[in-house]
Amino acid sequence: MSEFTHVDGQGRVRMVDVGEKRSSKRVAVAKGTVFMSPDTLAAIGDETVKKGNVLETARIAGIMAAKQTGSLIPMCHPLSITHARVDFFNDKKNSCIHIEAEVSLTGKTGVEMEAMTAVSIAALTIYDMCKAHDKGMEISNIHLAFKSGGKSGTYTAPGLSV
């Protein structure tokens, strides 16, 4: 197992110095799911939720969150991301919405946390906009599905397709 990079020899947390690293194209894709009642899923799809268009609001929230990750997670570097997208896939059979976020840049550190933050905040926005209708919604399975670039190369989550 590799040692933790955000802890110094005395056990103090620190932000990793990426100043000497080479820049490379970096991409990360994260996924997650929001389970809900069939009625809630239908209301989102029909755009009849009283707070407005749930998925477009969640899309904007996810993109904004990706851009703010360095302010939210203490040891993350503030990054100038060059691309962010958040997409939604309604799954009537399982009464859920699957969320996928992709973030990229050319830089010295990866964008995995930005992609996972985008999915997390998009999911929380769906919950917030629909909680009056369905307090039992469940946010699940937020994970890194894919990353490329940097010293560690490419990663694809086992059993997953991007």
Side-chain angles (χ1 to χ4, degrees):
M1 177 161 76
S2 64
E3 63 183 74
F4 291 104
T5 59
H6 288 71
V7 180
D8 69 14
Q10 288 75 44
R12 297 177 297 223
V13 294
R14 63 184 168 92
M15 180 183 273
V16 172
D17 183 355
V18 297
E20 299 300 318
K21 291 174 76 175
R22 289 188 172 186
S23 288
S24 67
K25 172 74 174 183
R26 295 162 183 269
V27 178
V29 176
K31 296 182 179 187
T33 304
V34 182
F35 291 91
M36 62 197 67
S37 72
D39 288 346
T40 302
L41 184 62
I44 291 170
D46 296 340
E47 295 184 24
T48 58
V49 175
K50 290 182 181 181
K51 286 189 175 183
N53 186 320
V54 173
L55 298 184
E56 287 309 307
T57 303
R59 185 184 323 278
I60 293 166
I63 292 169
M64 289 175 64
K67 297 185 330 183
Q68 293 300 314
T69 301
S71 297
L72 298 169
I73 300 176
M75 297 304 141
C76 283
H77 293 83
L79 301 178
S80 294
I81 62 175
T82 56
H83 170 74
R85 75 164 169 81
V86 177
D87 291 321
F88 304 97
F89 306 94
N90 289 3
D91 180 346
K92 289 182 183 179
K93 178 182 173 191
N94 295 301
S95 193
C96 62
I97 296 173
H98 301 286
I99 305 167
E100 180 178 285
E102 178 181 30
V103 179
S104 62
L105 60 63
T106 299
K108 296 181 177 197
T109 189
V111 287
E112 297 92 340
M113 295 308 300
E114 286 71 14
M116 288 193 289
T117 299
V119 169
S120 299
I121 296 302
L124 288 168
T125 301
I126 292 169
Y127 187 94
D128 178 57
M129 293 191 71
C130 300
K131 68 185 176 208
H133 185 72
D134 184 358
K135 289 182 181 25
M137 289 177 286
E138 181 180 316
I139 296 169
S140 178
N141 200 26
I142 295 170
H143 63 279
L144 180 67
F146 173 83
K147 68 82 74 194
S148 65
K151 189 169 131 182
S152 66
T154 301
Y155 166 82
T156 302
L160 295 175
S161 61
V162 181

